[in-house]
Amino acid sequence: MKSSLSLYRHVLRYLRSSSFPFKYLYPKIRHNVREMFEIHRERDEEKTKMLLKWGWQDLAFLKSWKIVEKEIRDDIFRGFSTSKKGKIHDNK
């Protein structure tokens, strides 16, 4: 099984890639990824394997959004946009 560092690098690489459909969510998701790796730092090998398996599944799920039409994605995430300074805010 690949290491947690490998998963972390794959996730960050995907978030920066042109195929990532939620550019306005990049800072938030990047922060969440970092936090999840810190929170779930484990010494138990079995638990680590389980968390890595879930992490790779989550990355696959995130990648699956690229096939969803842009209009549908925009409807799902309506209210979120990027301000001129690049910060995410809610338009409600």
Side-chain angles (χ1 to χ4, degrees):
M1 178 165 282
K2 295 183 180 181
S3 71
S4 58
L5 183 57
S6 176
L7 173 59
Y8 185 71
R9 287 178 177 162
H10 272 82
V11 170
L12 292 182
R13 197 173 303 126
Y14 178 66
L15 293 177
R16 289 188 307 263
S17 75
S18 61
S19 59
F20 179 60
F22 307 108
K23 295 299 181 194
Y24 51 91
L25 292 176
Y26 169 76
K28 175 67 174 149
I29 293 175
R30 187 186 71 209
H31 174 78
N32 289 356
V33 167
R34 171 84 179 184
E35 288 294 309
M36 293 306 291
F37 273 87
E38 288 296 321
I39 289 169
H40 293 292
R41 189 176 290 212
E42 285 291 331
R43 299 237 185 253
D44 180 345
E45 189 175 330
E46 288 304 312
K47 191 167 184 181
T48 299
K49 285 180 183 180
M50 179 187 66
L51 290 169
L52 285 172
K53 179 181 174 187
W54 290 349
W56 287 106
Q57 289 172 347
D58 290 345
L59 178 58
F61 175 75
L62 194 57
K63 287 181 175 184
S64 72
W65 279 92
K66 67 183 174 187
I67 64 170
V68 177
E69 292 180 32
K70 182 181 180 331
E71 293 78 24
I72 294 172
R73 289 192 317 251
D74 290 346
D75 283 345
I76 292 170
F77 294 100
R78 180 181 33 247
F80 289 93
S81 65
T82 306
S83 71
K84 292 180 182 177
K85 294 183 180 183
K87 294 182 180 177
I88 297 175
H89 66 278
D90 192 348
N91 289 332
K92 292 181 183 175

